[in-house]
Amino acid sequence: MRPDVLNPLFAETDTLEGVGPKLKKPLEKLGLTRIWDVAYHLPDRFVTRRAVETLDEAGEGENIVIRLTVTEHRGGRSPRAPYRVLAQDSIGNVLSITYFGRASYTAKKQLPVGETRWVAGKLERYGDMLQMVHPDHVVEEGGDTLQRLCEPVYRLSEGLTQPKVAGLVGQALDRCPALPEWIEPTQVDKHDWPAWQEAMRLAHKGEHKAARDRLAYDELLANALALMLVRADNRKRKGQPLQGDGSYRGKLDLPFPLTGAQKRSIAEIEGDMAQEAPMLRLLQGDVGAGKTVVALEAMLIAVEAGAQAALLAPTEILARQHYESLRRMAEPTGAEVALLTGRDKGKAREATLMGLLDGSIDFVVGTHAIFQDKVAYRNLAMVVIDEQHRFGVGQRLMLASKGKRAPHVLAMTATPIPRTLTLAQYGELDVSKLDELPPGRQSIDTVVMGQDKIPALAERLAAQFEQGRQAFWVCPMVREMDGPEEIAAAEARYASLKERFGDDVVMVHGQLAPEMKDASMERFARGDARLLVATTVIEVGVDVPNATLMVIEQAERFGLAQLHQLRGRVGRGSEKSFCVLLHGENLSETAQKRLALMRETQDGFLLAEEDLRLRGGGELLGTRQSGDTPFSIASFEQITELLPKAHDDARLLMERDGGLEGKRGEAARILLYLFERDFGVKTLRGG
C-alpha cells in the first residue's frame, strides 16, 4: 500500500486551484492527470535574461529586462498594421514595443503613457529603430522582476499558456513533501546532489544540472531496484530442475545446421533449466537469426524431462504462425503440439484443455488465453514469451501460478536492444544473443527514393506479380494504436493499388476485426493475394517466403530498428529480395543519415545503437511498439551516464544495507511507490 506521505502527489489535477473541466482536457493531452505528473513536468529549456540599465548595454538578439517610461502610442492605419508603444530608458534611448492583432488591447492596458514599467523580452532592430515584439512580461514598478531573469519554458498543448502551467507547477511543488534519503550517502556527496524536495524546486528554476541529474537518478534507481527485487524473488522460488536426455531433440530434422550463436544460447538455456532456481533469460535475436529453433530446443528439454511447455505470443496471427512452424519442425520427434487462442470454442477447445490437464499435449502455443483461470496443466515447467517487450513484469510474474512450481521462463525479442538499455529494460533477466544469421538467408537490397516515384514502383510491382512473386506495402503508424489519419492513409493507398491490381490486393490494420485481419493474412500467406497493404501490424512474425519486395511509405517516420524489422519480412525464400524506402520532401539531416544507414547495413544490433545515438532515448526505435525506453524523466545522456551507478547502488542496498528492511530500505520503499515500481515491493509480500 502506498505510504501516506505520497498521497498528496497522487491526487487528481482538479484538486489544484483553477483546474476545472475546461483546463483538465489540455492537461490530459500532455499526460498530466495527477499532481505527480505536473510536478515532474520539467521545463524543456530556460530563457535567461540580463537586467540592463540602458539600451546601450544590450546587444541585438539578447533577452533583457529593462525599466522604461512610456511616451507615446501609435496605432496602425489598418487592423493588420502593427501597434507600437514608444518608451524611453533612463538616458532617453527610444524603444518601440510592438504588438500585432488583438494584442494592442493588452498594450493600452499594460503600458499607459507617462507610467514606468519593467519590460522583459528580446531586443531586435527594425530599420533605424530598436524594438521588442510582444514582450514576455510587463511588470509595474515595485513588482518582482528578478524572478523573470531565468524563466522555464514548458511543453504546452492547445489551451495552455506558459504562465498557466508555471502557476500549476508552483502549486504542485508546494505539495511535494520532505522525503527521507534513499540514495547511498557517498553518491549524494560525490555529485553534490540536493535532497529530493529541493531538487524538485531547483529543476524548475534554472539550469541546475545537479538537480536534474538527481531526479533522473531517482527514476533509474527505482527501476533497477524493482527489477533486482523481482530477480531476487525469482531466485528464492523453487523451480523444477529439468534435464533432457536428447531423446526428442535427436530426432529433429532441421533444414540448416545450427549456428554457433544458436548452439551457445541453447547450452546457456540448458544450464539454467537444470537448476532448481527458475530460469529468467532473454533471447535477443536479429531478424531471421533462428530464435524459434532455439525456443523449440528449450521446450523439448522440458518434454524430455517429463514436463510441459507453453509459448505465449502477443497476437493471434503470430500465435498461429508459431504453431504451424513449431508443429512442422517437431513432427519427427513425436511431441504433441496444440494451439489455444481466445477464439477457440466448443469441442476443439475442450479437447485441448483436457490434453493439457492429462499431459497428452506436450506443449501449447497461444495468446494470453493459455494462462486463463480455466486452463490447467498436468505439469507446466517451461514458458517461452515471444516479443517480450509487449508483456510487462507483472504479466511475467503471473506465469508462476500455472505450474506446480515456478516455471522456467525464456523471453524472446526480435528487436535488438542497445547495450545501454538492456540493463534498464531487462535487469532481472540473463541475456543470450543470436548475432549470426543461419546459412541460406538472402541479403536484401535496400533502395531509398522519393514518394514521386510511386507510379514507377507500381510498374515494378506488376513485373514482380507476373513472375509469381508477392509484396508488402507498409503505411506509417506513429502511435501505439492506429489513429484515424494513419488508417485513412493505409485505406487510401489500398484503394489506389486495388484500382490498379484488383483482387490481388488485401489490407490489414489494427482496427480491423480479428476475423477480417486473419482472413486477409491467410489469403496472402496462401498466395491467393499478391500484395498486402498494412500498417506496422505486420512488423513481426509474418513469414511468407514467396514475398520478395517490401515497400515502406514515409520511411523517415519510422525508427531504424522498426524499418529493419519490416525489411526482415522479405528475404525468407530462395529468390533475391528488395526493400524500397519511400520518403517525403524536406528530409532532415538526421533522417537522411538514418535512411543511408539502412542502405549500408543489415546488422540489427548496429542499427539499434546508431538509432539511439542519432535520435536519442526519447524516440527509441520509432514507437513504443518497438521497445520504448521505460523512463519519463531520465534523458538518453543521463541513462548512459547514471544507469550503471544506479544499478550498483541498488545492489549495495540489497546485499549490504539490508534490502527494504533497514533505514535506507524504508526510504527505498517510498521511492518504489513514488515511481510506481511497487511491483518490486509486492514480490516481497507474494514471495
Side-chain angles (χ1 to χ4, degrees), residues 556 584-594:
E556 71 274 18
E585 295 177 19
N586 307 319
L587 277 186
S588 70
E589 192 179 335
T590 299
Q592 288 175 29
K593 283 181 183 172
R594 290 171 53 248

Side-chain angles (χ1 to χ4, degrees), residues 45-291:
R45 59 189 173 88
F46 291 88
V47 174
T48 304
R49 302 188 183 90
R50 189 163 65 91
V52 294
E53 287 271 335
T54 70
L55 292 166
D56 295 338
E57 296 172 38
E60 288 175 33
E62 189 178 1
N63 283 296
I64 61 169
V65 176
I66 188 166
R67 185 173 172 272
L68 299 169
T69 302
V70 181
T71 58
E72 186 184 345
H73 281 235
R74 289 184 184 173
R77 291 180 181 175
S78 74
R80 292 186 179 182
Y83 187 92
R84 302 184 188 280
V85 179
L86 302 187
Q88 293 181 349
D89 65 14
S90 58
I91 60 170
N93 291 321
V94 177
L95 176 74
S96 167
I97 305 169
T98 307
Y99 293 86
F100 293 91
R102 295 184 177 181
S104 59
Y105 295 113
T106 308
K108 291 169 187 171
K109 191 175 173 183
Q110 289 186 334
L111 294 159
V113 174
E115 295 289 325
T116 302
R117 295 287 186 268
W118 288 97
V119 182
K122 185 189 261 189
L123 186 65
E124 297 172 332
R125 184 172 289 279
Y126 179 72
D128 295 335
M129 183 171 277
L130 288 171
Q131 76 168 358
M132 191 181 281
V133 179
H134 289 273
D136 297 328
H137 299 285
V138 176
V139 182
E140 290 183 31
E141 263 200 299
D144 183 3
T145 57
L146 290 180
Q147 68 175 350
R148 310 283 186 191
L149 292 180
C150 185
E151 188 171 19
V153 178
Y154 295 99
R155 195 161 45 88
L156 301 177
S157 65
E158 193 177 347
L160 290 172
T161 61
Q162 292 294 341
K164 175 59 74 179
V165 172
L168 296 176
V169 166
Q171 288 188 61
L173 292 175
D174 288 341
R175 300 198 192 181
C176 287
L179 297 175
E181 187 56 79
W182 43 71
I183 301 175
E184 209 275 324
T186 57
Q187 283 279 21
V188 175
D189 295 341
K190 181 181 173 185
H191 297 286
D192 198 21
W193 281 339
W196 177 80
Q197 187 186 46
E198 179 64 7
M200 289 297 293
R201 292 193 175 280
L202 289 174
H204 288 275
K205 279 190 173 175
E207 304 283 0
H208 290 283
K209 184 177 186 301
R212 291 288 285 248
D213 281 355
R214 190 249 145 82
L215 298 181
Y217 186 86
D218 290 341
E219 184 179 34
L220 296 169
L221 179 61
N223 194 70
L225 186 56
L227 293 178
M228 221 165 267
L229 286 164
V230 170
R231 187 185 180 102
D233 175 66
N234 192 66
R235 294 281 182 259
K236 282 188 293 185
R237 291 174 186 269
K238 282 199 183 334
Q240 193 174 332
L242 300 176
Q243 287 185 306
D245 57 10
S247 56
Y248 281 77
R249 286 172 289 162
K251 295 174 186 171
L252 281 173
D253 183 18
L254 300 174
F256 299 114
L258 295 175
T259 64
Q262 285 175 314
K263 289 175 184 173
R264 184 180 65 241
S265 298
I266 291 165
E268 288 167 347
I269 291 163
E270 196 165 10
D272 284 356
M273 290 175 68
Q275 308 303 313
E276 189 173 55
M279 171 175 72
L280 267 185
R281 183 167 287 277
L282 174 71
L283 180 65
Q284 273 198 73
D286 205 346
V287 177
K291 294 182 302 300

Side-chain angles (χ1 to χ4, degrees), residues 326-343:
L326 287 169
R327 184 182 57 77
R328 194 168 57 246
M329 283 193 288
E331 197 167 7
T333 71
E336 191 65 37
V337 188
L339 174 71
L340 184 63
T341 70
R343 280 173 58 199

